[in-house]
Amino acid sequence: MNRTFKQLTAEQRYQIATLLSKQFSQKQIAEFIGKSASCVSREISRNKMYSGKYDAANAHQYAVFRHQTKHKHTNFNTSVQLQVDHLLQKELSPEQISGRLTQEGTPIVSHETIYQYIWKNKKQGGELYQYLARKQRGRRKRGNKTAYRGQIPHKISIEQRPEAANNRARFGDFELDTIIGANHKEAILTLLDRKTLFTKLILLESKNALQLSQQTIKTLKKYKPYLHTITSDNGKEFAMHQAIAKELDIQYYFTHPYSSYECGTVENTNGLIRRYIPKKSSFEHLTQEMLNKIENKLNNRPQKKLGFYTPNEIIKAIFNNDKPILNRIAFIT
């Protein structure tokens, strides 16, 4: 009979107890249950009661307790902690750290363990938690009629957007949104590809629809052969959507009224941008060079949705037709 080195089951312990009561030798018991004689001897020695009798129920409880309380091996040693500290300071999330290092072949613990490490550090007076992204905020109520933003003529509803765009099946389906500075003066235009999370940030002098359309066309024109659709919310700054669609030869779609969360990918990215540019900040001294640095950070962050590749790595793979990488991310939705 083949012998395995797996832990004994409760059933095997009951078999041992029964065979012992019938005066079977340890060698005979071992042959019967498919274990080595040393395994059976060790089991009886470790898990017998104080009286010296081997009872299967008690033996199994002893074994389970010992297994639960024994020291567990972990990869989260000092060396890995230093790596985590370094990557947190580079503004990667615990999930991104775990996924990226695993992809690179470095043994690493789960992102849950990294979070526990961060909170333990905080309780001890550490500052690692400050490198995490934004904290969770309460959701805004949807459908607030006082937030009415005006009508835009000739809109095409997101309901008509093709499935390829809905399913993130290709590069070239962009979401647009704006971030407004203090006193509603300057603005940031965020353009984000739904599949690759590739992001472009443009500084605007205001939310003027003409300037926004011109900058959108200028920024995306170099990708024109790859473009398919653009989606935005119903802000009046997107009123010149027809000019954008015509110049870029794409279809332009709008979310349902009061439902900007339907462009949730770009909204989430704007939340990350607020990490560098907090709410109520004045954009008076903000420059395009400063936005370029933020854009570069976003495009070089490993993303779970991209198999922990970065948007820049995926864009490069698309332009170079790098099929091994593209095949790995073909499942992204």
Side-chain angles (χ1 to χ4, degrees):
M1 184 179 291
N2 291 330
R3 298 185 176 91
T4 63
F5 295 93
K6 294 181 179 179
Q7 293 180 353
L8 289 169
T9 65
E11 181 183 1
Q12 289 171 324
R13 289 190 169 97
Y14 277 102
Q15 290 173 336
I16 292 174
T18 301
L19 294 172
L20 280 174
S21 69
K22 294 182 178 181
Q23 305 302 312
F24 278 66
S25 70
Q26 292 183 5
K27 184 176 181 181
Q28 289 172 320
I29 295 172
E31 288 293 336
F32 185 86
I33 68 172
K35 294 289 184 178
S36 68
S38 61
C39 174
V40 173
S41 175
R42 188 165 54 248
E43 168 64 20
I44 296 171
S45 175
R46 283 181 175 179
N47 296 324
K48 64 185 178 183
M49 295 188 294
Y50 290 114
S51 64
K53 180 182 177 181
Y54 181 85
D55 178 82
N58 284 326
H60 193 65
Q61 288 181 355
Y62 292 156
V64 170
F65 176 77
R66 188 182 297 110
H67 178 71
Q68 290 175 340
T69 57
K70 73 178 182 181
H71 176 72
K72 303 294 194 303
H73 175 73
T74 175
N75 287 323
F76 204 46
N77 52 36
T78 303
S79 175
V80 174
Q81 288 178 14
L82 291 173
Q83 286 181 288
V84 169
D85 292 355
H86 173 69
L87 293 173
L88 282 170
Q89 292 174 35
K90 293 184 68 174
E91 298 170 354
L92 298 190
S93 72
E95 191 170 48
Q96 290 167 336
I97 294 170
S98 177
R100 184 66 176 198
L101 292 183
T102 299
Q103 182 202 82
E104 294 175 352
T106 302
I108 187 65
V109 292
S110 68
H111 63 276
E112 289 90 351
T113 300
I114 298 176
Y115 274 114
Q116 291 172 9
Y117 167 64
I118 293 170
W119 300 135
K120 181 179 179 181
N121 174 266
K122 182 181 179 181
K123 288 181 179 179
Q124 295 173 342
E127 300 180 349
L128 291 178
Y129 73 96
Q130 295 183 0
Y131 295 108
L132 293 174
R134 57 204 172 93
K135 296 180 180 179
Q136 294 294 324
R137 302 191 303 266
R139 287 191 164 203
R140 299 189 307 273
K141 290 185 178 180
R142 305 296 182 180
N144 184 355
K145 301 300 181 182
T146 62
Y148 182 70
R149 301 179 75 186
Q151 292 290 340
I152 297 176
H154 310 297
K155 293 188 301 183
I156 303 176
S157 172
I158 193 173
E159 292 179 357
Q160 300 182 45
R161 193 171 66 179
E163 286 302 307
N166 293 337
N167 296 333
R168 306 174 191 266
R170 62 197 179 185
F171 171 72
D173 295 299
F174 276 77
E175 293 182 8
L176 267 61
D177 201 6
T178 53
I179 301 175
I180 310 305
N183 301 318
H184 290 260
K185 291 185 178 180
E186 300 86 357
I188 298 170
L189 170 63
T190 307
L191 306 95
L192 178 136
D193 177 63
R194 283 174 53 77
K195 180 177 179 68
T196 65
L197 307 183
F198 179 68
T199 303
K200 299 295 292 182
L201 303 178
I202 309 299
L203 183 62
L204 303 176
E205 295 177 0
S206 69
K207 287 194 345 178
N208 178 277
L210 175 60
Q211 186 185 18
L212 185 144
S213 65
Q214 291 173 338
Q215 289 298 325
T216 300
I217 293 168
K218 179 181 177 181
T219 303
L220 294 183
K221 204 159 191 176
K222 64 183 293 187
Y223 307 106
K224 187 173 180 179
Y226 300 91
L227 299 181
H228 301 286
T229 69
I230 288 177
T231 307
S232 72
D233 63 22
N234 293 267
K236 287 187 283 187
E237 63 268 30
F238 302 115
M240 296 191 67
H241 61 96
Q242 288 180 298
I244 296 173
K246 181 179 179 180
E247 285 296 320
L248 297 177
D249 193 24
I250 52 93
Q251 288 293 324
Y252 198 114
Y253 299 93
F254 286 85
T255 63
H256 293 96
Y258 322 116
S259 303
S260 58
Y261 60 88
E262 292 176 333
C263 274
T265 310
V266 72
E267 281 204 330
N268 182 63
T269 298
N270 281 348
L272 294 176
I273 294 169
R274 286 296 191 186
R275 178 178 192 168
Y276 309 101
I277 308 172
K279 276 195 171 185
K280 299 182 181 180
S281 296
S282 170
F283 293 175
E284 182 180 358
H285 301 294
L286 185 65
T287 66
Q288 183 61 50
E289 288 73 22
M290 294 166 68
L291 283 184
N292 290 344
K293 291 181 179 179
I294 299 173
E295 175 188 300
N296 188 56
K297 287 188 176 185
L298 295 176
N299 287 330
N300 284 291
R301 288 166 61 96
Q303 299 283 354
K304 181 180 181 181
K305 285 186 175 182
L306 304 179
F308 294 102
Y309 287 100
T310 69
N312 274 344
E313 288 172 334
I314 302 303
I315 288 293
K316 183 178 178 181
I318 289 172
F319 291 166
N320 294 336
N321 195 27
D322 189 339
K323 291 185 178 179
I325 292 181
L326 297 179
N327 289 338
R328 289 177 204 163
I329 65 161
F331 61 89
I332 296 171
T333 59

